[in-house]
Structure formats: structure tokens, C-alpha cells
Amino acid sequence: MANGSGGRGRFGQLGFIFAAVGSAIGLGNIWKFPYITYANDGGSFVLVYLIAIVLIGLPIMMAELVIGRSTRQSPVGAFVEAAKGAVGGRAWGAVGALGTLGSFILLSYYALIAGWTVYYFGQCLSWSFRGFDTGGQTLGDSFGAFLGNGPLQIGFHALFMAVTVGVVALGVQGGIERVAKTLMPVLGGILILLVVNSFWSPGFGEAVRFLFHVGPVTADGLLEAVGHAFFTLSVGMGAMITYGSYMRSRQSIPRSAAAITLLDTLVALMACIVMFSIIFSVDGAERAGTFGKSATILFTTLPQMFYEMPLGVVLAPLFYLLVGFAALTSTISLLEVVAAYLIDRRGLSRRKASLLSGGAVFLFGIPSALSLGAVTGFSSWAPLGERTAGFFDTMDYTVSNWILPLGGLTLAIFVGWFLSRSKSRDALADGHGDVSRWYFIWRDVLLRFLCPVAILWIIWAVIGGRSFA
């Protein structure tokens, strides 16, 4: 039962940009990107990543927006509608179903991680007023104890899901757009403040040289850059199809997608400057023993480094507030994918759809919350052998390495090979103007060949034992 466009709401032009940028900007920009950039020797990785963003991430995002706006439906219905008259017909709805499933699973553990940022924001407020004191524990031990506390994990997971459900239940304009137009400028302001403060840190010069100095490019770095370029823009899981279905008819898809991509990339690079300026302010031995271990530096090392800096008592809480806001704008888009399916295909009211989908996501996330040391059975569950350790890790591995790449691959194949030229060209031209100068490159070169080959390379690497989780 598809509702079509009736009563679904519309984003304002700026509201769509803010909402879509918020969907793309998340923990991957502020947490994962600096970590993998450091692990892959900085500037060379960044250069390849920027090229991959333009040639892979941007074209697939445009394809998702084309499907979303031209059909005015959530992913399942959007593929069914767009595939009318195409080979395969309604079977293409399975691609939308895969994206919806991916959003559901991803949100179940992403909101858990987002809850950690709330906890550490509170911790930093306490340290800022009372002095930095971990009670004799290292930050690593303290973080481990926090992860192993089942009630705390479930509680902060529930808190973040409750806020997410509340926003989505308020609707496209009254909830998602309003929150995005409030949070994104605040997020940008906090990040700019942190970057400006980085100018005076001892490690700023080395951080900038590391981030933008181009050297040899390794095969591993190339693959990692392609993989992250695909994941960072929220493509392959239906979020941009869903948000695209709320776009205004005369809003340019190419210009909007370019703006979203540019802002997402700028945030990632600014986050690198902030984190590297802190990291490069410590000596090499300490740096190798901290940042080289894992991306959990955000919770195991960074807080102490903040409190060793001038103005750290102000910057530390601001940083975790920034991360929390970035996470919230992403969790909203993930829940909207699932809720929109219930609204469009099952005829539920927005409030019921938001509560039902949010409640289901929360319940499904409980095993992840308990698999970080609280419950042995969930923590040791490893159906994929050595590739995963625990329920949380298994879900992350499944979404990041299989659902998202397969979703992006089938999307590129559908728009490149099965969606009629007239439909995709007209959708791109609507609100933009003549697209004939580059339409062939977008559809017949990038979507038909380059994007599928790049994603197949990612999948082949996963089959060979590589993990992008």
C-alpha cells in the first residue's frame, strides 16, 4: 500500500541540504576517517580518497536521489515504481528491502556507539568542573569497564534511540528538517572553533604536513580509500533515496549532491586537523602506543590529551558534543528509512511507524549492547569465525562488508543498465538545466562500469579476508 507523494511532506531547499549532510556526516567522519588516514600514511590516502569520492561516492549518491525524487517513495516502493517496464520488474524491490534492512541493523548498534558520546560528554563536564581524575584507572580500563556494564550500555542506547524516535515522529519538516537546521550550524561552529584552536597546538604544523603531503600510494591504502569513499556518504542503505523522496521538484540533484559531498569531505578533513594536532603534540613513543592501536582512541586516549592542552576544560566537552550531534543527525536518517517503509508500504501513521520501528531497533540492539563484555554468550558469539567477535562485531561486519556494498552495486547496475535514459536524464535536468555535457560520463561510464568494478573490488577483498567494519 503505497501512499505516493500524498501527505509525505517536503524538505525546504536548504533543509534538504542540512538533513542530507547530517545523514552523511557521522561517526565515520569524526572517528573512523582520522584513524584510517593515520594508518594509511596521511596525504597519499587523502588524495586517493578525494578522487574516489568524486568518481564513486558522488555518482551513486546522485543515482539514489534520482530514484527517490522521481518516485516519491521509500526504498522498497521506489525501486518497484522505478522498475516498471524494466527487465526484472518488481523483483528490484529487493534492492530497496536490502537497504532498509541495512539501515535497521546499522542503527541497532550505531545508536549504541552514539550513546557512548553522551556518556563521555557527561564525563568531560564532570572532569572540567572537578578536575581530570579516572579514579586510579587508565582510560582504557575505564572504557573497558563501561563497555562491560550492561545496564549502562542499554540505558544510553535507549536514551539515544528515544531522542531519535522523538525527532522522526515529529515529521519531515517539523522534526527532521528543524533539527537538522539547528544542529548542523552548531556542529559546524564547534568544529571551526576546534580547528582554530588547533592553530596554537604544538602538533599543528606536523598534522597539516602529514595530512596533505603526498607520497607513494599503497594497494592497501587505495582499497581502503575506495571503501571509505563509498561508505561515508550514506549510500547503499536507502537513506538518500528516502531523503530524495522529500526533495522539492525544482531543486537541482547534481548541485545538491555536490554540496553534500563537499561539506561531508570538509568535515572529515577538519576532524583530521583537530585530532592530528592533538596526537602530534605528544612524543612519538606515546603516539605509537595510543593512536596506533585502534579507533577507540576517541574514548581511551583523547580525553586525557584534551586536559593536557590549554582550554581543554572547554574543548573536551565541546568535542564530545560535536560527535554526539553528528551521530544524532545520522541516526535520524537511518530510522527514517525504516519508518518511511512502514508509512508508505504498510499505511501506518508517522507516530506509530516511528515508535514501532524505533522500538524494534532498540530491542534488536540489546544483544549488541550486552556483547561488549556484559554477557559472555553475546560477547563470544562468532558465527563467522575469526572475522568477528561478538554480536556487535558480527552485525557491524555484516552491514559494512556485505549489505552496503551489495546495495550500492545493485543500485549502480539498476540505474546504469535498467532505468531508462529518459527517466534518469529528466530527473537530473529537473531544476538543474541541460545535463547533456556530462550525462554520458555519469551513467554510461561511472555507473555502468567504474562504480560496479570498484565495489566488486571491495567485495572481492572481503571474500579474501579484508574487513571494512
Side-chain angles (χ1 to χ4, degrees):
M1 175 179 174
N3 292 345
S5 62
R8 299 184 78 249
R10 291 284 187 276
F11 284 127
Q13 187 162 337
L14 185 60
F16 168 75
I17 297 294
F18 278 151
V21 170
S23 175
I25 293 173
L27 296 174
N29 298 74
I30 300 172
W31 180 3
K32 186 176 181 180
F33 184 72
Y35 166 65
I36 60 176
T37 298
Y38 185 90
N40 288 281
D41 299 322
S44 301
F45 171 83
V46 171
L47 176 62
V48 176
Y49 169 78
L50 294 176
I51 295 172
I53 277 284
V54 173
L55 297 181
I56 300 169
L58 178 59
I60 293 179
M61 176 184 284
M62 289 170 58
E64 289 208 10
L65 295 178
V66 162
I67 293 175
R69 192 176 70 178
S70 63
T71 61
R72 298 295 184 192
Q73 295 191 42
S74 55
V76 176
F79 272 98
V80 171
E81 179 68 24
K84 286 181 178 179
V87 176
R90 294 179 63 87
W92 284 103
V95 179
L98 182 67
T100 304
L101 176 64
S103 289
F104 181 93
I105 298 175
L106 175 56
L107 180 56
S108 73
Y109 63 84
Y110 192 98
L112 175 65
I113 302 173
W116 301 349
T117 68
V118 177
Y119 174 80
Y120 272 83
F121 172 68
Q123 286 286 86
C124 286
L125 284 178
S126 175
W127 288 330
S128 293
F129 283 104
R130 301 179 182 178
F132 182 75
D133 182 11
T134 59
Q137 289 183 306
T138 66
L139 278 172
D141 290 339
S142 176
F143 182 58
F146 169 64
L147 294 183
N149 188 318
L152 274 182
Q153 293 298 305
I154 293 174
F156 280 99
H157 175 46
L159 174 63
F160 218 92
M161 280 304 306
V163 175
T164 303
V165 169
V167 173
V168 172
L170 289 174
V172 174
Q173 290 181 307
I176 300 172
E177 180 174 349
R178 180 177 296 176
V179 169
K181 289 173 74 173
T182 301
L183 290 188
M184 294 311 298
V186 174
L187 188 153
I190 294 173
L191 188 56
I192 290 171
L193 178 62
L194 291 170
V195 170
V196 170
N197 181 77
S198 299
F199 293 168
W200 288 276
S201 65
F204 175 77
E206 187 178 354
V208 172
R209 285 192 296 273
F210 178 80
L211 187 58
F212 296 109
H213 174 74
V214 178
V217 180
T218 66
D220 281 348
L222 179 62
L223 179 61
E224 191 74 59
V226 171
H228 193 70
F230 172 73
F231 299 130
T232 189
L233 293 176
S234 290
V235 295
M237 57 187 178
M240 289 302 164
I241 292 177
T242 304
Y243 275 11
S245 72
Y246 305 134
M247 287 182 74
R248 295 190 180 275
S249 298
R250 301 301 297 172
Q251 185 167 359
S252 168
I253 287 177
R255 280 192 285 269
S256 298
I260 295 163
T261 303
L262 176 62
L263 290 171
D264 178 80
T265 304
L266 283 176
V267 168
L269 294 175
M270 291 168 72
C272 280
I273 291 174
V274 172
M275 292 190 68
F276 290 168
S277 294
I278 298 171
I279 298 304
F280 285 114
S281 294
V282 303
D283 63 61
E286 184 180 349
R287 186 189 315 158
T290 55
F291 200 69
K293 289 182 178 179
S294 78
T296 56
I297 180 181
L298 200 65
F299 308 105
T300 59
T301 304
L302 209 58
Q304 181 172 348
M305 291 184 173
F306 267 118
Y307 286 103
E308 293 174 353
M309 296 170 53
L311 300 178
V313 293
V314 175
L315 298 176
L318 277 178
F319 178 80
Y320 287 96
L321 188 64
L322 162 73
V323 179
F325 283 169
L328 178 60
T329 55
S330 295
T331 58
I332 289 169
S333 69
L334 292 171
L335 184 61
E336 178 62 20
V337 174
V338 185
Y341 167 78
L342 296 178
I343 294 168
D344 290 350
R345 307 297 291 178
R346 300 302 175 195
L348 271 64
S349 69
R350 172 162 288 275
R351 179 173 295 183
K352 287 182 179 179
S354 302
L355 290 171
L356 180 60
S357 56
V361 168
F362 167 69
L363 291 175
F364 189 76
I366 289 177
S368 290
L370 299 177
S371 69
L372 303 169
V375 176
T376 302
F378 290 133
S379 302
S380 61
W381 188 61
L384 301 176
E386 295 181 356
R387 295 191 177 198
T388 61
F391 192 89
F392 176 105
D393 200 31
T394 302
M395 294 302 102
D396 189 21
Y397 177 86
T398 302
V399 172
S400 299
N401 293 280
W402 290 106
I403 294 181
L404 297 187
L406 288 174
L409 175 64
T410 49
L411 171 80
I413 290 173
F414 174 74
V415 177
W417 292 93
F418 293 91
L419 186 66
S420 70
R421 288 179 179 273
S422 60
K423 285 185 179 179
S424 59
R425 185 173 55 244
D426 290 348
L428 290 175
D430 190 11
H432 183 83
D434 183 31
V435 299
S436 58
R437 288 177 296 176
W438 49 264
Y439 175 80
F440 173 82
I441 296 176
W442 173 74
R443 180 183 187 271
D444 297 294
V445 176
L446 299 179
L447 288 182
R448 281 192 164 193
F449 296 103
L450 182 61
C451 292
V453 168
I455 298 172
L456 284 171
W457 185 27
I458 294 170
I459 294 173
W460 180 254
V462 171
I463 293 172
R466 186 71 175 265
S467 175
F468 293 91

